[in-house]
Amino acid sequence: MLIASIAAISLFALAAPLAHGAWRRGAGPLLALGVGSVFARLAWVAPDVTAGAVTLERFAWAPQLGLEVALRLDGLALLMSLLITGVGAVVLLFASASLRDHPALGRFYATLLAFMASMLGLVLADNALLAFVFWELTSITSYLLIGLDHHRAEARKAATQALLTTGAGGLALLAGLVTLCEAAGTYQLSELVTRAEVLDHPALTPAIALILAGCFTKSAQFPFWAWLPGAMEAPTAVSAYLHSSTMVKAGVYLIARLSPLLSGVALWDSSLVVVGAATALGAAFVGSRQTYFKRVLAYSTVSSLGTMVMLLGLGAGGATAAAVFLLAHALYKGALFLVAGVVDHATHVKDSERLGALWRSLPITATAAALAGLSMAGVPGLLGFAGKELWVKESLHALQGGWTPWLIGAVAGAGALNAAMAAQVALRPFWLAAPSSAGAHAPAKDPAHAHGPAWPLWIGPALMALAGLIGGVSPGLFAAPVALAAADAIAGLSPGAPGAADVPLDVGHLVKPGPALYLSLGAVAAGLAVFALRRAYRAATRPASALDPLGPQSAYAAAYSGVLGTAQAITRVTQNGSLHFYLRVTLGFVSVVGWGTLWRAWAGASEPIPRTPVGPIEAALVAGTAVSVAAMVLLRTRLAVIAALGAAGYCVASLFAVYGAPDLAMTQFAVETLSVVLLVLVLYHLPRFPVFRLTAARVVDAAIALSVGALMSGLVLLAAGVQLAEPVSAYFSQNASALANGRNVVNVIIVDFRALDTLGEITVLAIAALGVLALLDVRAERPGPRASAPGQPADAHPNPAHAPADGALAGRAPTIGGPA
């Protein structure tokens, strides 16, 4: 079922462009129906999973390397899978109407479904390396989705920032996962979380730091949150899916997945609480000063992600609160993003302060916005209240665990500012009067001019807002079983086991007088006060803009510019267009590194270097080769150099003959003879070698060349004494006649034992011959009179400003290697 679910959505992605081309208007609903069937299949098995059943599916991927595709469905994976497929189906339906006339709608469907399949693979993967593969696929597909309108510079910039930030975090995550899994001795996540002995491993600290860096970048934690508000350049359907319910929760998911092992480790818990609380409060403060729909929702999303991260650092109780909060947030934030899309589609206004009384023209959307906004604010009766109430309770409980009161301050502040943001996007545009044209945000949008949306636009926010209401009024229907099963998986427990989550989520149990309720309701009241006094609040907090140069966006811009500047400086030095410089640097580096390696290998060799007796003939041939090579370097005429080259080749061919390879020697003789003849014919008419370099530079070149030559000689001598396996020469000699019916062993090797290698070489030669034939077939155009414009001489240069000076080309001799 698990593999089939991922495969089905992958097939939908492949078929999406074809479906869009064949049935333009109906492709979106059809694809949404297909994804909805996957959601229904997962919902069908949900009762078993919430009761404690775990579904496992495995098949070999690369068995030689011990790799396999391992998928696992437990409570946490179920919660994420239902959100991925359920919200995904709604977003596809919404996009079919909101992007109806977009020229890249087919590509959008394919990319969104590919992202959906990647995200589903990530949450179901039980192998760390497989999870990382899906993790990176989500980064790549999200880059394509954010940059869907790639003709706009802002979209390209936002997509690049998201890719660079999450990509850098992905590299850190890979290093951390490999470190942790190697220390634990397994790459299976379900086994990894049971290896408590890894907690005493010295590599645990760097592994935690690297894993958290990867998770914090993906889930937009401070100081990496800048990419998420920038990603609002994407279409609203993308924002509703990636940035409320799926991609941004990938980091939260992985933190939760590793919590059974790492919860209780001081570095892990303290990092989650401090970074999460700072993100929740900081992003809420920035977002409360915004007025554009999607920017308010973006910063509130960052704040909510910080809340989830903080809760995961507070132990088992925090895990329960995090699971409930994750579910509630996906429902109300997805609904509000889609509401923003409906308003934009109906009014073409993105600023919430320019709108008012939209309930008259958009009654269903206004109702959905009200329910989602109340849930986001944490009003009793909605699922968002359960998440917020548990958040506050666990924060108060953390005071007993040694956390300072600043944590409560951060929770209260973030809760109040999130309530203010909920009012800004759910109350101001719909239920308050439209602002006058003389207001600060003039001109205002007349609600009478807003046109009613098609049903695919309003059905999505209505369903998610209704689900948040049902989850708050009757949590036992779906919210409590799914969320508590996820909490048990985060805590490493089975539903019903001792210590398993058993927190009632109904309003009657949560609304009890006490510090948590007072703090929660006080935050709502404070948020409404901030909203009512929003102009004065924004004016009072305007001096905080002076800190923008120290904020995450400025830090990213400085880092980006620094990387580009450094790259340009390095490029100017190392990529100066001189092939001679490239060779000098490359060979010099190889020489320095190679000699150190060779020295250590030679010193540690267990066997003596084999020595072959050298007779006078061999010595004479080696000396002749050396003299010929030296002559090639020192001589200044091409014919002399060609003669020296041929002499060196003949000496090497003679060595082949002396050492018992007459066939190879004959081939070498033929090649050397042909090469000398061809080179003489081609190079005879070229001038003498010009000398461009000083003697000192040539001495450096000679030193590098001698060092590399000596290095290669040493490596060959060292390799001659190393035998990693039995030689194959005996096998070839014994079986050439028996298996291939040939007496010439060399020929049998070439045409039989290594026939595929020979075929590849023949193919290369044939392609090269075709290229040469194509070059020989090119005929230079005969010079003739060129048609000229009226009043222009026939031999005039087409662009007089670029015409060469008189005599500039006359008598110029060809040069080799640069200007003469």
Side-chain angles (χ1 to χ4, degrees), residues 45-142:
V45 301
D48 295 333
V49 177
T50 56
V54 175
T55 302
L56 295 173
E57 292 183 9
R58 303 176 186 270
F59 72 89
W61 177 12
Q64 296 84 354
L65 301 177
L67 299 178
E68 64 177 357
V69 173
L71 303 179
R72 186 172 185 267
L73 181 67
D74 60 0
L76 178 59
L78 175 68
L79 170 60
M80 292 297 298
S81 298
L82 290 174
L83 292 178
I84 292 166
T85 53
V87 178
V90 168
V91 168
L92 281 169
L93 191 62
F94 178 87
S96 68
S98 64
L99 299 175
R100 182 179 56 188
D101 299 322
H102 198 288
L105 183 56
R107 173 162 54 88
F108 168 81
Y109 285 148
T111 309
L112 186 71
L113 287 164
F115 171 85
M116 192 183 302
S118 303
M119 194 70 203
L120 190 60
L122 169 62
V123 301
L124 293 176
D126 192 38
N127 181 281
L129 296 180
L130 180 64
F132 176 76
V133 170
F134 284 121
W135 178 285
E136 290 299 285
L137 287 175
T138 63
S139 295
I140 295 171
T141 49
S142 66

Side-chain angles (χ1 to χ4, degrees), residues 471-551:
V473 174
S474 183
L477 289 179
F478 71 92
V482 173
L484 296 182
D488 290 335
I490 297 172
L493 301 172
S494 299
D502 188 21
V503 179
L505 301 182
D506 56 281
V507 179
H509 286 83
L510 293 176
V511 181
K512 291 183 178 180
L517 180 63
Y518 300 149
L519 186 59
S520 180
L521 296 180
V524 175
L528 293 176
V530 169
F531 170 72
L533 303 173
R534 58 190 179 280
R535 289 185 175 83
Y537 168 76
R538 289 168 189 150
T541 57
R542 190 171 294 118
S545 300
L547 299 176
D548 288 347
L550 303 178

Side-chain angles (χ1 to χ4, degrees), residues 99 162 170 172 189 268 405 604 672 706 765:
L99 299 175
L189 295 176
W268 179 266
E672 293 296 335
L706 290 172
L765 291 175

Side-chain angles (χ1 to χ4, degrees), residues 142-206:
S142 66
Y143 165 78
L144 298 175
L145 289 169
I146 296 170
L148 182 69
D149 296 325
H150 53 77
H151 59 278
R152 295 192 300 110
E154 294 82 1
R156 297 195 301 270
K157 182 179 178 181
T160 301
Q161 181 175 0
L163 181 64
L164 292 178
T165 304
T166 58
L171 294 176
L173 176 66
L174 176 61
L177 285 177
V178 170
T179 302
L180 184 64
C181 293
E182 286 293 327
T186 180
Y187 280 82
Q188 299 302 120
L189 295 176
S190 56
E191 296 179 9
L192 174 66
V193 296
T194 64
R195 303 288 177 90
E197 62 273 13
V198 77
L199 300 179
D200 298 324
H201 198 281
L204 181 65
T205 297

Side-chain angles (χ1 to χ4, degrees), residues 695-726:
T695 302
R698 299 180 70 196
V699 169
V700 172
D701 294 343
I704 294 175
L706 290 172
S707 176
V708 173
L711 172 65
M712 296 309 299
S713 300
L715 290 174
V716 169
L717 289 174
L718 184 65
V722 177
Q723 182 174 322
L724 300 178
E726 291 295 326

